[in-house]
Amino acid sequence: MISRQLIHTFFSVLLLLGMALSLAAHAEDSADASQAKQLLEALDVRSYDAKGEAIKQLAQSDLPQKGEWLEALRDGRLQRQKDGGRFVIVESDQGREWPIKDAISGEELGTATRRDLDKVRINNQLRSQLQGLAATADLDSPDTGRREAAAKRLIGEVDETTADSVAVRLEQETDGDVKARLRTALGLYRLEQGEADAIDTLRGSLDPAVRNALRPIAAGDGPLADEARTALNGIEQKLKFNRWLQTLYFGISMGSVLVLAAIGLAITFGVMGVINMAHGELIMLGAYTTFVIQQLLPGQPGLALGLSIPAGFLVAAAFGIAIERGVIRFLKGRPLETLLATFGISLILQQLVRSVFSPLNRSVVTPDWLQGSLVINDALALTLNRLAVIVFCLIVFTALMIIMRRTRLGLEVRAVTQNRTMARAMGVKAARVDILTFGLGSGIAGLAGVALSQLTNVGPNMGQSYIIDSFMVVVFGGVGNLWGTLVAGMSLGIVNQVIEPWAGAVLAKILVLAFIILFIQKRPRGLFPQKGRAAE
Amino acid sequence: MSQHRTLRKALLGLSLSIVFPFAANAADDTIKVGILHSLSGTMAISESTLKDEMLMLIDEQNEKGGLLGKKLEPVVVDPASNWPLFAEKARQLLSQDHVAAIFGNWTSASRKAVLPVVEELNGLLFYPVQYEGEESSQNVFYTGAAPNQQAIPAVDYLMNEVGVKRWVLAGTDYVYPRTTNKILEAYLKQHGVADADIMINYTPFGHSDWQSIVAQIKRFGSQGKKTAVVSTINGDANVPFYKELANQNVDAADIPVMAFSVGEQELSGIDTGPLVGHLAAWNYFQSVDNDANYDFIDAWRAYKKDDNVVTNDPMEAHYIGFNMWVEAVKKAGTTDVDAVKDAIIGVSVPNLSGGAATMMPNHHITKPVMIGEIQDDGQFDVVWQTPSTVAGDAWSDYLPGSKDLISDWRKPLSCGNLNVETMKCGGADVGK
């Protein structure tokens, strides 16, 4: 019996103890929660200085959630519900409905829209403060990209307190790129300490911090200065080569824009001989098609862009055919009237867009995979949107070449332009060929518009900025010659980008124009004149 | 038959009143207000908004009972972004329509074209856009910012708060950026910035290929000193500029861009995600937390029947300018130009950021200066603000030709360019 009583007592005591313990734990929990709440409240104030202080305090605290909070704050994902004032973390801000969770408890709260939430805002100083805080933590990240970014941020920031830990990190690191960054960071620190052999580790590094560190040393005297000078020379050589490559890339990119804009004109003006001043507006229509399709497919800019390629072609081609049927065919052989009439059409189309879409520029979203750049090294990065335009330009050009050379339509187009009467006598329907050719040229202008929407403004005036350049490229390349258009566009782009850095954008444009005027004086038929029967 | 004729007459009258809505009630019981903003051409993107805003303000005033017991009547003309046409339309407004005041213009080039006309015909022009200064006319009231109300405080902010040591002054190639950059260059040099630390770059209107310029800016900014870009790039060219900045990974934390011509409206054409943190200096932002501002935004959205339209700084300038003119007319008891010109000096009206704007004797107004950082929703977050309002200065203190000049249109002085060294009035020739 005693034993039973004993057990009973024992259990009651245990129960009591358990209750007390759980109560204490609960108290601790709520203490944590209130501290967490306090730290978050401190972040949500107007003054940025106070926010900076709050971030410092949060970083020094030992809250388990602090890493997540700081990251969310940096990315603008730490927000506050408008009613209730609960702090939440937006887990993904893609689309309209954002999944959110409670910042303190981590509890999932379903979704919310932009309108329900107030963002905890930060400014530039706070952003760099947060990035600095993240750098040390990111070095442990399993993601190589993060580690590399963190290591890059360390360059120039290593001091005696962190040097050893960076050295240890360098030992452990497996990824080559991250290693190189860490080595540079450490090398810079050792160079500051006056260690001559540190220069060896810095040789060939393109990081600007390295150049800035070596430059004052190289200006001095002594063996260290000589060493630094040779290292600096090596870097400058490498840099020069990279810059040269970059200019070439810029040139090709600008050239591909010119070619895209001009190649439709090369068909309508070059092959058919129609001076179409509304060509720029057909480009604009292609760009607006992209805008409309993106509006129809919200949250899927990539898919919308893909669909815009055929849609832009069709819309511009339809307008082109309407212009051809409605106006141009009545003005055959009267270039001056055609010029004036199509100029009028261009004004009508501009004002039409202004009335339908408003005179303001429309925002076309660039999909994520076309943003940013392909980083080759510290001095050379290829911007992705322009890379895509170059590739697109080459594809369009190849497709057009195939159509003109290998298809029945191409054959008929060439036949009609060489000798209309003879072609008709052979049974070619000249009027139909006219429609299709003009539609093709216009459709390609639409494609150019789709591509340009990723680079520049989509607005009622966008066509005007390309019409002059387009005519320039076609005339320079040789009217009626598609290869000429490609070569002319590319070479004008490269020449422009080579001149621009030292002459300025305004003068570069003038110089290119003056060059073309002189060139046309000497060779009125352009780079690649038509020869033989096709010439007349 | 006669019934038929009256019907026809009525129909004719109806169609006439549709075609000429203003001709019908153009009686003496209205006060005409001219609106001179481009509704077509390149500047329509910016100016058409201001036309709509003026119509809204006039509507509101009429609902309040008009002015001096008369209704206000807007006269809208379209100068089509064509500078000489601005002068012609201004002449038409003043000599044919006999408007009491003109609200209009955007570019400095168009203002310079209109200037001789309003002076010759003694009109009143309210100009709502930030401009380069170095001008003072007794017929023009400058409700936008002078350089000391935008450019100089912005540079001060970058120098003192951000610690910028190297400067890129990038602008579109026309009179406003060139004069502003001249003032800024002189100002920076006075503050000990070396020649090598200033890079100046001009680009044509509508420039779209920014690759090599952004690369150049990056290179200029990688010399170890904190670098910032002060941008007077105009309107359209900003979209490709900012896109290129984002794609070449120019982060606002490394090289911030401070813009003087980029407002909420310009940003509505850009995905601002990658631009967060870049700066703009204005005297008003739509995000300003103030009831007067919220009322204005609500009224504007209701007027446009669109919940997403934005407001911007030149709109606030027109709001202030229009209210000042109304107050001055009330004070003078007449719309006579000379009486209003005298009465308006010293008039103070509320602005949209919770303070007041006062018309100074030099025909410029007092404004607070704000620095905003771009947010990912296309709005600005105000990160810095002058403690009090700043009075506009027509003649810059940092240019050798103009630092001794002041402007004071009060009687008996009435001089737009008084040289305080020689105490001589330069007359009409200086500054043109």
Side-chain angles (χ1 to χ4, degrees):
Chain A
M1 276 304 118
I2 292 173
S3 71
R4 180 178 273 188
Q5 216 171 359
L6 204 73
I7 289 170
H8 194 89
T9 330
F10 179 71
F11 269 108
S12 344
V13 169
L14 211 67
L15 205 72
L16 270 173
L17 207 72
M19 268 168 69
L21 267 176
S22 78
L23 261 177
H26 199 83
E28 203 168 277
D29 251 16
S30 64
D32 253 12
S34 76
Q35 190 206 356
K37 177 102 182 165
Q38 231 168 31
L39 283 167
L40 283 175
E41 291 281 357
L43 285 176
D44 192 27
V45 288
R46 267 219 70 77
S47 150
Y48 287 105
D49 290 340
K51 272 189 197 179
E53 247 344 278
I55 290 172
K56 229 181 261 167
Q57 282 197 350
L58 177 59
Q60 282 160 2
S61 78
D62 44 6
L63 279 181
Q65 307 100 319
K66 74 172 180 187
E68 195 184 9
W69 288 356
L70 290 176
E71 200 188 311
L73 181 63
R74 182 187 61 184
D75 301 342
R77 291 187 293 108
L78 184 65
Q79 311 208 351
R80 195 168 193 180
Q81 279 182 329
K82 274 187 183 157
D83 48 288
R86 197 189 323 208
F87 285 93
V88 297
I89 289 178
V90 174
E91 286 173 292
S92 149
D93 54 7
Q94 298 295 313
R96 276 162 200 265
E97 292 284 322
W98 300 342
I100 56 170
K101 66 174 187 189
D102 191 288
I104 297 169
S105 67
E107 175 197 350
E108 303 283 340
L109 294 174
T111 60
T113 65
R114 200 188 286 259
R115 287 177 187 279
D116 308 330
L117 301 170
D118 268 332
K119 191 190 295 178
V120 179
R121 295 181 187 278
I122 52 172
N123 68 358
N124 277 330
Q125 270 107 327
L126 298 184
R127 212 167 284 121
S128 14
Q129 187 188 349
L130 286 167
Q131 263 159 8
L133 284 173
T136 31
D138 273 359
L139 274 181
D140 299 319
S141 163
D143 178 45
T144 3
R146 280 224 157 142
R147 279 211 306 281
E148 193 184 343
K152 189 170 181 216
R153 235 170 272 131
L154 273 179
I155 293 174
E157 302 289 329
V158 181
D159 52 26
E160 61 265 41
T161 54
T162 52
D164 290 336
S165 70
V166 173
V168 172
R169 192 80 62 186
L170 180 60
E171 293 288 313
Q172 293 165 347
E173 184 56 57
T174 49
D175 185 79
D177 289 338
V178 186
K179 253 186 168 158
R181 298 263 188 222
L182 287 173
R183 211 174 288 132
T184 311
L186 211 56
L188 268 182
Y189 167 69
R190 286 171 50 214
L191 186 67
E192 276 168 31
Q193 305 302 307
E195 292 177 40
D197 61 329
I199 290 182
D200 280 333
T201 61
L202 297 176
R203 228 178 272 279
S205 165
L206 290 174
D207 198 287
V210 173
R211 287 202 298 287
N212 294 331
L214 284 175
R215 216 170 274 137
I217 299 172
D221 279 322
L224 188 66
D226 288 340
E227 191 88 347
R229 257 196 294 277
T230 49
L232 202 57
N233 271 342
I235 292 176
E236 292 289 352
Q237 283 297 326
K238 214 167 148 186
L239 212 58
K240 221 180 193 171
F241 177 69
N242 275 306
R243 255 177 224 163
W244 188 82
L245 278 183
Q246 197 185 34
T247 309
L248 189 69
Y249 173 73
F250 287 169
I252 290 175
S253 154
M254 186 176 178
S256 66
V257 169
L258 288 175
V259 170
L260 260 181
I263 196 139
L265 198 72
I267 305 272
T268 52
F269 173 57
V271 177
M272 287 178 73
V274 173
I275 299 180
N276 180 15
M277 293 301 283
H279 180 75
E281 277 60 44
L282 293 169
I283 295 178
M284 173 191 76
L285 287 174
Y288 269 96
T289 310
T290 317
F291 166 73
V292 170
I293 292 186
Q294 279 198 348
Q295 291 301 301
L296 297 177
L297 294 170
Q300 286 171 308
L303 177 69
L305 192 63
L307 286 178
S308 306
I309 294 175
F313 182 89
L314 291 177
V315 169
F319 271 88
I321 289 171
I323 294 171
E324 205 274 339
R325 283 291 91 184
V327 178
I328 291 171
R329 77 176 158 134
F330 301 112
L331 300 171
K332 207 150 220 101
R334 287 187 286 172
L336 198 62
E337 279 96 325
T338 319
L339 189 148
L340 283 176
T342 50
F343 183 63
I345 292 171
S346 90
L347 293 181
I348 292 171
L349 287 177
Q350 274 176 42
Q351 202 60 38
L352 180 77
V353 166
R354 245 182 231 123
S355 313
V356 175
F357 294 99
S358 98
L360 302 181
N361 286 339
R362 298 285 94 172
S363 147
V364 172
V365 184
T366 307
D368 285 339
W369 42 271
L370 278 181
Q371 277 176 9
S373 43
L374 185 69
V375 179
I376 310 282
N377 59 38
D378 278 336
L380 182 64
L382 310 181
T383 44
L384 286 175
N385 60 348
R386 289 189 175 267
L387 201 60
V389 169
I390 294 175
V391 173
F392 186 67
C393 167
L394 293 178
I395 293 174
V396 168
F397 182 79
T398 317
L400 195 61
M401 262 340 242
I402 292 172
I403 291 175
M404 294 303 275
R405 289 285 159 88
R406 295 264 180 275
T407 64
R408 173 94 196 163
L409 173 69
L411 185 70
E412 289 183 351
V413 168
R414 280 179 290 147
V416 169
T417 46
Q418 276 183 23
N419 193 329
R420 196 179 177 88
T421 335
M422 187 64 86
R424 288 184 62 184
M426 305 296 284
V428 176
K429 293 196 179 83
R432 185 176 149 271
V433 172
D434 279 348
I435 296 173
L436 289 178
T437 321
F438 204 84
L440 180 67
S442 307
I444 285 169
L447 289 182
V450 176
L452 286 173
S453 73
Q454 296 304 310
L455 297 182
T456 180
N457 286 302
V458 176
N461 303 321
M462 77 176 286
Q464 283 180 325
S465 32
Y466 291 97
I467 184 74
I468 306 224
D469 286 347
S470 304
F471 271 105
M472 203 167 77
V473 168
V474 173
V475 171
F476 179 55
V479 173
N481 191 324
L482 292 182
W483 278 110
T485 305
L486 182 71
V487 174
M490 289 296 176
S491 44
L492 286 182
I494 293 170
V495 167
N496 204 312
Q497 292 295 324
V498 169
I499 300 176
E500 208 176 90
W502 59 268
V506 183
L507 200 58
K509 225 171 182 159
I510 297 173
L511 285 175
V512 167
L513 264 175
F515 163 74
I516 290 183
I517 292 172
L518 290 178
F519 183 87
I520 295 295
Q521 292 295 316
K522 199 82 195 139
R523 297 186 61 170
R525 286 172 179 279
L527 274 177
F528 303 99
Q530 294 274 41
K531 291 198 182 72
R533 267 186 293 181
E536 290 315 313
Chain B
M1 191 72 187
S2 72
Q3 208 178 1
H4 215 95
R5 198 165 283 165
T6 29
L7 189 71
R8 210 187 282 170
K9 259 186 187 163
L11 272 176
L12 192 71
L14 191 71
S15 59
L16 266 178
S17 69
I18 289 167
V19 179
F20 307 105
F22 304 130
N25 51 11
D28 278 351
D29 57 346
T30 61
I31 298 172
K32 288 187 183 172
V33 179
I35 301 173
L36 183 65
H37 283 301
S38 303
L39 311 180
S40 53
T42 40
M43 292 312 295
I45 178 175
S46 309
E47 290 192 67
S48 54
T49 316
L50 293 183
K51 183 263 296 175
D52 290 342
E53 187 212 359
M54 280 311 298
L55 292 179
M56 174 183 88
L57 292 174
I58 289 169
D59 271 3
E60 283 180 353
Q61 188 64 35
N62 281 339
E63 273 167 31
K64 281 187 251 169
L67 188 57
L68 303 180
K70 297 179 182 176
K71 292 272 174 212
L72 293 177
E73 180 195 330
V75 182
V76 181
V77 290
D78 177 15
S81 312
N82 176 343
W83 317 150
L85 196 57
F86 266 94
E88 268 174 53
K89 292 288 176 186
R91 186 174 290 280
Q92 179 195 326
L93 284 174
L94 289 171
S95 54
Q96 285 178 24
D97 296 313
H98 301 287
V99 296
I102 299 175
F103 292 82
N105 296 76
W106 184 287
T107 61
S108 289
S110 70
R111 189 192 65 249
K112 296 266 183 209
V114 166
L115 195 63
V117 177
V118 288
E119 284 186 345
E120 179 199 327
L121 299 174
N122 195 24
L124 282 180
L125 173 67
F126 287 84
Y127 176 68
V129 183
Q130 95 280 20
Y131 84 120
E132 66 281 1
E134 306 303 296
E135 184 183 294
S136 184
S137 163
Q138 60 171 327
N139 298 89
V140 182
F141 293 91
Y142 305 84
T143 52
N148 74 315
Q149 289 173 308
Q150 186 187 29
I152 300 282
V155 165
D156 278 340
Y157 171 81
L158 287 174
M159 210 179 319
N160 304 327
E161 309 281 322
V162 185
V164 172
K165 300 271 184 285
R166 262 166 99 78
W167 303 81
V168 180
L169 308 180
T172 302
D173 202 0
Y174 75 109
V175 52
Y176 165 67
R178 283 207 178 251
T179 315
T180 307
N181 286 345
K182 216 189 281 169
I183 294 171
L184 288 182
E185 197 185 352
Y187 183 75
L188 289 173
K189 283 186 183 158
Q190 277 182 22
H191 284 75
V193 178
D195 265 340
D197 286 335
I198 302 177
M199 168 180 151
I200 298 182
N201 184 294
Y202 291 107
T203 40
F205 267 102
H207 192 61
S208 64
D209 196 301
W210 290 92
Q211 304 180 85
S212 62
I213 290 164
V214 171
Q216 232 177 327
I217 290 173
K218 261 176 99 173
R219 216 175 300 147
F220 187 79
S222 67
Q223 308 291 319
K225 290 184 189 169
K226 181 76 184 172
T227 306
V229 180
V230 175
S231 153
T232 38
I233 297 164
N234 193 277
D236 262 15
N238 278 300
V239 177
F241 175 59
Y242 279 112
K243 271 196 177 166
E244 193 67 36
L245 279 177
N247 282 332
Q248 293 200 22
N249 301 326
V250 178
D251 193 60
D254 302 331
I255 306 179
V257 177
M258 169 76 77
F260 296 159
S261 304
V262 176
E264 288 83 353
Q265 196 161 22
E266 284 73 21
L267 286 186
S268 66
I270 321 181
D271 169 24
T272 53
L275 302 177
V276 170
H278 285 302
L279 304 154
W282 289 106
N283 310 104
Y284 164 82
F285 286 109
Q286 186 184 339
S287 65
V288 165
D289 185 25
N290 183 272
D291 281 342
N293 181 37
Y294 292 141
D295 290 346
F296 181 72
I297 295 171
D298 286 345
W300 174 236
R301 288 188 167 165
Y303 184 80
K304 291 289 278 184
K305 297 188 183 67
D306 181 353
D307 271 350
N308 293 314
V309 288
V310 295
T311 59
N312 61 9
D313 180 273
M315 285 179 67
E316 193 221 15
H318 255 346
Y319 172 85
I320 294 172
F322 180 75
N323 287 338
M324 277 183 166
W325 175 74
V326 168
E327 287 306 313
V329 170
K330 280 185 194 159
K331 196 168 142 195
T334 165
T335 54
D336 177 64
V337 168
D338 288 321
V340 173
K341 240 165 31 187
D342 289 339
I344 199 168
I345 290 173
V347 161
S348 186
V349 298
N351 60 21
L352 291 178
S353 50
T358 310
M359 181 59 77
M360 305 305 284
N362 62 358
H363 287 192
H364 288 64
I365 67 173
T366 57
K367 283 167 168 279
V369 186
M370 304 173 190
I371 309 288
E373 276 185 12
I374 297 178
Q375 303 294 311
D376 60 357
D377 56 357
Q379 290 290 323
F380 291 87
D381 190 27
V382 178
V383 292
W384 183 85
Q385 189 171 351
T386 47
S388 59
T389 55
V390 180
D393 186 8
W395 302 100
S396 172
D397 297 341
Y398 304 100
L399 288 182
S402 77
K403 66 171 186 275
D404 296 329
L405 297 180
I406 60 156
S407 156
D408 190 333
W409 289 108
R410 282 174 301 190
K411 281 172 186 150
L413 193 56
S414 283
C415 175
N417 44 19
L418 180 79
N419 191 321
V420 287
E421 288 283 301
T422 58
M423 285 313 278
K424 274 195 186 130
C425 188
D429 298 331
V430 182
K432 280 195 180 163

